């Protein structure tokens, strides 16, 4: 007990003072405002064996925009022969630029780019957007995903900008959306932004398997991407894969190596680094050690995000460790969708429903409606023919039916 609060504590004693580390679910000061990056449409679907139709992907994104989440990873400009599930990414980009879902707040849509060519393809596709060529808004479902919009829709359609001078990730003081500056009934889609993610790895073996190059070579590729992206004022996330365990080199990835790579990404101009436990091998002690090493290396918490897979059931535990350390941005996937094509045995990302439920129980504000997210998790799991891996989502749905 500390300060008359019922908490679980670890008590230790140094030569100078007694210290108490508390894991409390009662104080907003512990959690505060937390930003959720929904990665389901990209990282969640990329490993599915069954082809997911374009209209299903677009409908998934549309539904997600209605939950309160403001950052959605929508696709990947990787060669389809390597990741066939991402073959629709140009169509998704075109649709979201030409016919974005109506929302009361701006959405930042993110696309993974593996190299300079991937970014060039993305920019060309964005520059070539013509509303007359785009699919209709899937808020009105159609049996023909290639149907053309009506002449009136063509005239009224506004192409959202690829960049914005406003920070799309700024959290409002009230994340419920009640006090959103956009007027009720109007859409903030004109302020949507398009962002990119690039990636490297924390081990040489995984880098070779994933990108056929060394870590140093992958960072040189990242520099090319960053230079072009910044010339177009495109916000950039950088992933560090296998930061807490590698399928080839094992669980003991050196935290100092991760810190060096994160520093390199930030120094070259990446806006945010997502430290990824791609294999789900991470544990609470090793997550804590990694975060301490990152801090000791001068990397600020606000420049970091955490990305956990739940292969060994440790994702939520590790997320709480990150929250306690001061991290306020987390990646997650609706329904626990996910897996890595280059990491055999890796299961899905931490389920958005589970993460949001946990964060809310700790007093955090996310702006995300967890009940709506649970409904989407059940729907997309059925669509792709796989079990719903969100425990909180299934429990919430069962309670909602009673």
């Amino acid at each position: 007990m500390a300060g008359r609060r019922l908490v679980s504590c670890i008590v230790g004693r140094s030569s100078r003072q007694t210290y108490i580390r508390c894991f409390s679910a009662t104080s907003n000061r512990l959690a505060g405002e937390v930003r959720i990056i929904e990665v389901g449409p990209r990282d969640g679907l990329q490993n599915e064996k069954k082809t997911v139709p374009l209209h299903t992907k677009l409908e998934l994104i549309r539904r997600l925009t209605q939950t309160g989440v403001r950052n959605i990873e929508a696709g990947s400009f990787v060669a389809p022969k390597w990741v066939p599930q991402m073959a629709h990414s140009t169509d998704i980009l075109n649709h979201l630029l030409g016919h974005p879902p109506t929302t009361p707040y701006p959405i930042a849509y993110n696309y993974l780019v593996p190299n300079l060519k991937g970014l060039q393809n993305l920019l060309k596709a964005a520059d070539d957007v013509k509303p007359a060529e785009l699919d209709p808004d899937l808020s009105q479902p159609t049996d023909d995903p290639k149907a053309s919009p009506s002449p009136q829709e063509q005239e009224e359609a506004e192409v959202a900008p690829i960049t914005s001078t406003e920070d799309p990730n700024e959290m409002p003081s009230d994340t419920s959306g009640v006090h959103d500056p956009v007027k009720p009934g109007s859409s903030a889609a004109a302020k949507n932004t398009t962002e990119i993610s690039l990636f490297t790895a924390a081990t040489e073996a995984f880098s070779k398997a994933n990108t056929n190059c060394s870590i140093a070579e992958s960072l040189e590729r990242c520099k090319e991407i960053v230079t072009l992206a910044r010339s177009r004022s495109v916000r950039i996330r950088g992933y560090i894969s296998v930061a807490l365990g590698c399928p080839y080199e094992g669980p003991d990835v050196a935290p100092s190596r991760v810190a060096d790579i994160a520093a390199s990404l930030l120094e070259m101009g990446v806006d945010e680094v997502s430290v990824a436990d791609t294999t789900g091998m991470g544990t609470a002690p090793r997550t804590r050690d990694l975060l301490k090493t990152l801090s000791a290396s001068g990397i600020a918490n606000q420049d970091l995000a955490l990305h956990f897979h739940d292969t060994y059931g440790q994702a939520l535990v590790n997320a709480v460790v990150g929250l306690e350390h001061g991290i306020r941005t987390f990646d997650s996937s609706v329904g626990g969708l996910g897996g890595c094509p280059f990491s055999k045995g890796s299961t899905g990302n931490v389920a958005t429903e589970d993460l949001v439920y946990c964060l809310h129980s700790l007093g955090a504000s996310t702006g995300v409606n967890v009940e709506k997210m649970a409904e989407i998790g059940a729907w997309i799991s059925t669509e792709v023919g796989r079990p719903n891996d969100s425990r909180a989502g299934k429990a919430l749905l069962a309670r909602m039916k009673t």
Side-chain angles (χ1 to χ4, degrees), residues 109-149:
Y109 295 105
N110 190 288
Y111 300 85
L112 190 74
V113 294
N115 48 37
L116 184 61
K117 183 64 175 176
L119 177 56
Q120 290 170 337
N121 290 340
L122 181 152
L123 294 173
K124 184 180 186 302
D127 291 341
D128 290 346
V129 168
K130 293 181 177 65
E133 297 177 355
L134 301 176
D135 298 340
D137 190 335
L138 290 193
S139 59
Q140 300 296 325
T142 175
D143 292 331
D144 181 6
K146 296 185 178 180
S148 299

Side-chain angles (χ1 to χ4, degrees), residues 330-364:
F330 295 89
D331 302 350
S332 60
S333 179
V334 63
L337 295 172
C340 178
F342 304 99
S343 178
K344 292 182 179 180
S346 173
T347 59
N349 297 268
V350 62
T352 304
E353 305 94 303
D354 294 353
L355 179 62
V356 170
Y357 186 88
C358 176
L359 291 171
H360 289 179
S361 76
L362 294 171

Side-chain angles (χ1 to χ4, degrees), residues 316-333:
L316 284 180
V317 176
N318 295 335
V320 172
V321 169
L323 190 73
E324 186 187 46
H325 184 81
I327 304 300
R328 293 296 180 268
T329 301
F330 295 89
D331 302 350
S332 60
S333 179

